[in-house]
């Protein structure tokens, strides 16, 4: 059964009675319908959990270029797990997030504890002051265009009350992530929309779990992530630990992807079930870093509501930033992301020309 595109757009990115998709951005959000899977029922209310396991390719739209920009998930979970724009907005309203957003417009990056020397010696653009955390700051600024981003001085968690343990197989020191959220909340500046704690020390979410790559808390408006987790850890006997010794394009891609994924959670974005998207859930590091760097139309609609950016301006800024990174630190994933941005912007120019006719 063919997907009813107009109804699908309204269901995924519309916000209800007398509040439809912004007219000036309709060309983009139409992709939510164009890229919908051809196996999705024609009416969203007919959607039920599919018993098949295959994930389909592009949507059922006539525009093949549009279809290929976002890859739809064939299987959809129960409605309670589908965070459409309308559901997300209701959650934000209930938690009074919009009325406070005018006073909180800065994302803070908070380095925690020790980092390897190559992180501190890293210099982007051959400028001494353009270090590793400045690179992260710059990417956050274009991804969350409209938000201010600042880097705070590094602090030691030894001054905090944080539960720790030594992992029984790796011997690595680990910090309990929930305790870090509590402490980050206490030192967070008043005008902070979010504070992002970044550490090289391994993290764990509970005694019965090995590790966690990153975790966000909407309660504390904080996220914590471990970049040292990208080093191979011998959780099985016989495996050899592989330390990271330098910053390259592959490492940068992994880090910025985890950074923006966890930061989006602070803005109440749940895991995406509609498209292959930055906000897809992952159960392993390999799965996490293989997922897209960009938001699908459903998730971008939510972020645009918070940041109030111009879509084309944001995509152009992301393209310029990734080109600059990829020029100095070539990487296959960065190259793929650059090609995707160029394809989307080319499609946008065509749509803009059609609209003006």
């Amino acid at each position: 059964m063919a997907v009813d595109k107009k109804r699908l757009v309204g269901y995924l990115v519309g916000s209800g009675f007398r509040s439809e998709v912004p007219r000036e951005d309709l060309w983009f959000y139409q992709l939510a319908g164009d890229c919908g899977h051809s196996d999705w029922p024609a009416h969203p209310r007919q959607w039920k959990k599919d018993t098949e396991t295959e994930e389909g390719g592009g949507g059922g739209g006539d525009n093949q270029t549009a279809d290929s920009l976002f890859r739809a998930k064939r299987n959809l979970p129960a409605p309670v797990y589908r965070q459409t724009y309308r559901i997300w907005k209701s959650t934000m309203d209930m938690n009074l997030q919009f009325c406070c957003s005018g006073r909180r417009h800065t994302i803070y990056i908070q380095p925690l504890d020790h980092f390897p020397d190559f992180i501190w010696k890293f210099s982007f653009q051959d400028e001494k002051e353009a270090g590793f955390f400045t690179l992260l700051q710059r990417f956050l600024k274009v991804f969350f265009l409209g938000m201010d981003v600042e880097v705070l001085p590094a602090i030691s968690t030894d001054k905090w009350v944080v539960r720790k343990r030594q992992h029984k197989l790796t011997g690595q020191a680990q910090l309990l992530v929930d305790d870090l959220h509590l402490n980050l909340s206490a030192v967070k500046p008043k005008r902070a929309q979010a504070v992002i704690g970044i550490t090289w020390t391994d993290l764990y979410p509970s005694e019965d779990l090995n590790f966690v790559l990153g975790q966000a808390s909407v309660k504390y408006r904080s996220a914590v992530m471990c970049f040292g987790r990208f080093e191979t850890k011998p959780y099985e006997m016989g495996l050899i630990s592989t330390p990271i010794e330098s910053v390259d394009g592959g490492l940068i891609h992994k880090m910025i992807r985890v950074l923006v994924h966890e930061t989006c959670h602070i803005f109440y974005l749940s895991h995406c079930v509609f498209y292959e998207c930055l906000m897809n859930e992952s159960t392993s590091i390999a799965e996490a870093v293989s997922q897209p760097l960009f938001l699908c139309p459903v998730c971008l609609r939510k972020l645009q509501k918070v940041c109030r950016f111009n879509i084309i301006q944001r995509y152009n800024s992301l393209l310029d930033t990734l080109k600059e990174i990829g020029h100095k630190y070539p990487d296959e994933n960065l190259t793929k992301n650059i090609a995707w941005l160029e394809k989307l912007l080319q499609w946008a120019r065509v749509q803009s020309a059609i609209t003006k006719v």
Side-chain angles (χ1 to χ4, degrees):
M1 187 181 295
V3 175
D4 185 327
K5 296 180 185 178
K6 183 177 180 180
R7 200 172 271 164
L8 181 59
V9 171
Y11 172 74
L12 293 175
V13 299
S15 56
F17 183 65
R18 292 187 180 275
S19 182
E20 300 300 327
V21 177
R23 183 176 296 276
E24 64 273 18
D25 299 321
L26 186 58
W27 64 270
F28 176 80
Y29 291 117
Q30 197 66 41
L31 285 169
D34 290 340
C35 297
H37 201 286
S38 56
D39 282 356
W40 288 356
H43 194 296
R45 292 182 182 178
Q46 297 172 341
W47 289 2
K48 297 179 181 179
K49 187 172 182 180
D50 197 318
T51 56
E52 299 180 37
T53 58
E54 178 187 358
E55 288 183 1
D62 298 326
N63 187 331
Q64 295 302 313
T65 301
D67 289 349
S68 63
L69 288 171
F70 296 99
R71 186 178 172 88
K73 296 281 189 178
R74 181 173 183 178
N75 298 328
L76 295 172
V80 68
Y81 299 110
R82 303 178 202 155
Q83 191 194 52
T84 62
Y85 172 76
R86 188 181 310 181
I87 292 174
W88 169 84
K89 185 175 181 297
S90 297
T91 304
M92 292 284 283
D93 286 334
M94 286 189 294
N95 288 277
L96 305 177
Q97 292 302 304
F98 292 123
C99 66
C100 299
S101 60
R103 302 193 299 270
R104 302 195 303 250
H105 53 78
T106 305
I107 299 172
Y108 289 93
I109 298 174
Q110 178 62 77
L112 300 172
D113 293 331
H114 168 77
F115 284 83
D117 288 342
F118 66 82
I119 291 291
W120 296 117
K121 293 178 180 178
F122 174 84
S123 179
F124 184 58
Q125 298 178 325
D126 297 322
E127 300 175 18
K128 187 175 181 180
E129 64 275 12
F132 176 74
F133 291 101
T134 303
L135 174 60
L136 300 183
Q137 176 190 28
R138 181 173 176 187
F139 191 78
L140 278 179
K141 276 187 175 181
V142 296
F143 195 93
F144 297 92
L145 193 65
M147 289 280 176
D148 296 328
V149 182
E150 296 184 16
V151 180
L152 297 171
I155 58 176
S156 172
T157 59
D158 289 339
K159 301 176 182 179
W160 294 350
V161 178
V162 179
R163 281 167 283 184
K164 305 176 182 179
R165 75 178 185 185
Q166 298 291 125
H167 193 276
K168 59 184 179 181
L169 291 181
T170 68
Q172 295 282 339
Q174 293 184 305
L175 304 175
L176 184 64
V177 69
D178 287 345
D179 289 347
L180 293 176
H181 284 303
L182 185 62
N183 284 277
L184 282 170
S185 177
V187 302
K188 177 172 74 247
K190 289 184 178 180
R191 62 193 180 105
Q193 176 65 44
V195 59
I196 316 300
I198 300 176
T199 179
W200 203 264
T201 307
D202 211 10
L203 305 171
Y204 72 104
S206 61
E207 289 297 335
D208 59 331
L209 294 175
N210 276 328
F211 70 92
V212 63
L213 178 60
Q215 186 187 87
S217 168
V218 295
K219 176 181 178 180
Y220 296 114
R221 301 200 314 277
S222 64
V224 184
M225 58 206 69
C226 169
F227 284 170
R229 167 50 43 195
F230 292 118
E231 294 182 326
T232 303
K233 307 293 182 183
Y235 284 120
E236 297 180 12
M237 298 302 292
L239 293 181
I240 300 174
S241 177
T242 305
I244 298 172
E245 298 179 344
S246 63
V247 176
D248 58 20
L251 184 62
I252 292 172
H253 175 263
K254 293 175 184 177
M255 291 179 173
I256 59 178
R257 195 212 161 277
V258 173
L259 178 64
V260 293
H261 175 97
E262 296 300 337
T263 306
C264 281
H265 277 316
I266 301 175
F267 294 97
Y268 284 78
L269 272 71
S270 297
H271 286 133
C272 181
V273 300
F274 300 108
Y275 296 96
E276 291 187 2
C277 171
L278 169 73
M279 296 311 295
N280 290 155
E281 186 177 17
S282 60
T283 57
S284 68
I285 293 178
E287 185 180 14
V289 300
S290 68
Q291 291 168 344
L293 182 59
F294 306 112
L295 296 170
C296 73
V298 184
C299 294
L300 190 66
R301 173 87 161 100
K302 305 166 190 175
L303 192 63
Q304 187 192 31
K305 174 66 175 178
V306 175
C307 299
R308 303 179 182 180
F309 47 68
N310 176 278
I311 291 177
I312 293 295
Q313 180 186 358
R314 177 180 177 272
Y315 276 128
N316 275 315
S317 297
L318 282 167
L319 178 60
D320 292 342
T321 301
L322 288 180
K323 278 185 173 180
E324 194 167 356
I325 296 172
H327 177 73
K328 187 168 184 180
Y329 299 96
D331 173 69
E332 180 181 1
N333 285 314
L334 290 175
T335 300
K336 288 180 180 178
N337 286 313
I338 290 169
W340 184 89
L341 284 169
E342 291 175 335
K343 183 177 182 179
L344 181 138
L345 288 167
Q346 174 61 31
W347 179 85
R349 284 190 288 269
V350 172
Q351 296 304 304
S352 178
I354 293 174
T355 302
K356 292 178 181 178
V357 173

